[in-house]
Amino acid sequence: MRLSIIVPATGPQSALDNSLVSVLENLPDQTEVLVPHHEEYEDPYDLGEEVTFVASPQAAPIGLLKAGIAASQSEFIHVLMNGVEVTAGWTEPVIQRFKRDSSLAAVSTTIRDSKQSKIAGIRYRGGGSASAVRASRRNKASIDGPCLEASFFRKSSIETLGELDEQLCIRQTNADMAARLKSCGLACEHESDSVVRGELSSLPSGYLSSRQLERVYRRHRPRMGRTAPLMHLMATTANVTRHGPSWGLLTSTLGHCWGNLQARWSAETHWEPGDRESTILKFPNKNATADDRGAEDLCVEDRRAA
């Protein structure tokens, strides 16, 4: 197989059906479709001959995604979250891009949402949060990572980035993955000719989103340079004040406090790249800033010291 398309079975059944129908109607050659699902999920449309269903004890989206990645048999992996619909020929420009440039670890599609906005990818801000980057006709979008809702990865790069965190929502996993790619200088680019339709995932409640933001920030703080504390303060302030004078403001503040304590004392929040130093060194980021190169050097030095 050349490509594995992973569609985790989360959310409403109708959204999953729409995603699968669009994929199967436009399925390229040498491609397998994997649907990781909770062990209680059933196949109501008898798609067993066209789709490989992967049972998982985890019901959370990231847990399901990990099960799909583990079951994949291809060089390239395409993650498509529930409800996102593809268009004809959306995989080919991405695969060709991977083949032309062996330094690419990930590629972000163009996600066209209901407001006709075009999302190109994710930029990590250094404070535990990330922002979506809009596609531009004039300038090449500068991104640190793809939107997990519709993203492509070289499977070897996923192994380098390490195990995904099941305690994070999709939105915070976007930030986490972008930070990992940025830390190790692994290249991610936007492919404007690969278009899908869908929405970016929403953040959970104020308490959960605040706790997860702290988790991501503490995980990547050592590699994000001197401006990281300032960016974290700005991200925390924006996250708390977006609720206004309400109960959400209090729960968001508590989430930041508890997440901070958890991240400081829990070994689970510590992240190291996978044991693939040769892969890390293989993907130089040609557009890296001085701070980015410093983070990349630290990443490589950590691997050599391990």
Side-chain angles (χ1 to χ4, degrees):
M1 291 292 179
R2 179 181 64 167
L3 176 67
S4 295
I5 301 177
I6 302 175
V7 188
T10 62
Q13 177 71 45
S14 59
L16 175 62
D17 294 342
N18 291 339
S19 295
L20 287 177
V21 167
S22 70
V23 168
L24 295 176
E25 287 180 344
N26 298 282
L27 192 65
D29 295 333
Q30 300 180 22
T31 300
E32 63 175 353
V33 180
L34 304 174
V35 178
H37 61 89
H38 191 261
E39 52 191 359
E40 298 178 354
Y41 178 83
E42 296 181 359
D43 177 15
Y45 296 101
D46 195 22
L47 297 175
E49 294 184 0
E50 300 175 273
V51 173
T52 300
F53 290 90
V54 181
S56 169
Q58 301 293 328
I62 303 306
L64 293 175
L65 178 56
K66 288 170 63 176
I69 292 173
S72 65
Q73 302 292 322
S74 306
E75 180 182 1
F76 306 112
I77 290 176
H78 178 29
V79 178
L80 201 68
M81 285 298 174
N82 206 0
V84 177
E85 299 179 26
V86 305
T87 58
W90 90 105
T91 66
E92 195 57 32
V94 175
I95 298 301
Q96 293 304 318
R97 193 167 190 140
F98 273 128
K99 290 183 176 180
R100 289 195 305 268
D101 188 352
S102 62
S103 70
L104 273 182
V107 174
S108 184
T109 65
T110 299
I111 301 178
R112 182 176 296 167
D113 63 19
S114 58
K115 298 179 180 179
Q116 299 304 310
S117 297
K118 297 179 180 179
I119 309 301
I122 297 296
R123 185 176 298 137
Y124 184 66
R125 295 298 186 182
S129 65
S131 59
V133 178
R134 296 185 183 277
S136 172
R137 293 181 179 179
R138 296 182 179 180
N139 301 316
K140 178 181 177 181
S142 175
I143 59 175
D144 297 316
C147 297
L148 203 61
E149 289 82 354
S151 52
F152 288 82
F153 294 91
R154 201 181 295 272
K155 189 171 184 179
S156 60
S157 68
I158 292 182
E159 295 168 353
T160 300
L161 294 173
E163 188 173 359
L164 296 175
D165 188 346
E166 296 177 22
Q167 295 191 35
L168 298 180
C169 65
I170 297 173
R171 190 80 165 266
Q172 284 300 139
T173 300
N174 281 340
D176 187 31
M177 292 293 285
R180 296 186 191 204
L181 287 162
K182 184 175 182 178
S183 291
C184 290
L186 298 181
C188 175
E189 294 184 357
H190 167 235
E191 176 51 65
S192 59
D193 291 332
S194 177
V195 180
V196 300
R197 298 184 298 270
E199 306 292 332
L200 295 185
S201 302
S202 58
L203 284 170
S205 67
Y207 174 79
L208 288 176
S209 64
S210 300
R211 194 180 69 181
Q212 292 179 17
L213 185 149
E214 293 294 335
R215 189 176 181 87
V216 173
Y217 169 67
R218 294 296 170 185
R219 173 174 294 152
H220 300 289
R221 166 65 184 89
R223 295 183 172 85
M224 287 299 139
R226 298 177 181 177
T227 61
L230 176 60
M231 299 303 296
H232 176 245
L233 176 61
M234 294 172 62
T236 301
T237 302
N239 191 49
V240 171
T241 56
R242 70 187 174 95
H243 298 285
S246 65
W247 178 251
L249 188 149
L250 176 60
T251 58
S252 180
T253 302
L254 290 174
H256 279 289
C257 293
W258 181 239
N260 195 337
L261 290 174
Q262 277 189 318
R264 286 176 179 272
W265 297 104
S266 175
E268 293 181 359
T269 60
H270 184 65
W271 170 76
E272 289 291 344
D275 295 327
R276 295 175 63 90
E277 179 176 334
S278 60
T279 306
I280 295 174
L281 296 174
K282 181 180 177 182
F283 296 107
N285 189 342
K286 300 175 183 178
N287 299 318
T289 63
D291 286 344
D292 293 338
R293 286 192 293 271
E296 180 180 351
D297 292 341
L298 178 58
C299 177
V300 175
E301 288 173 4
D302 285 350
R303 292 301 316 130
R304 288 173 174 166

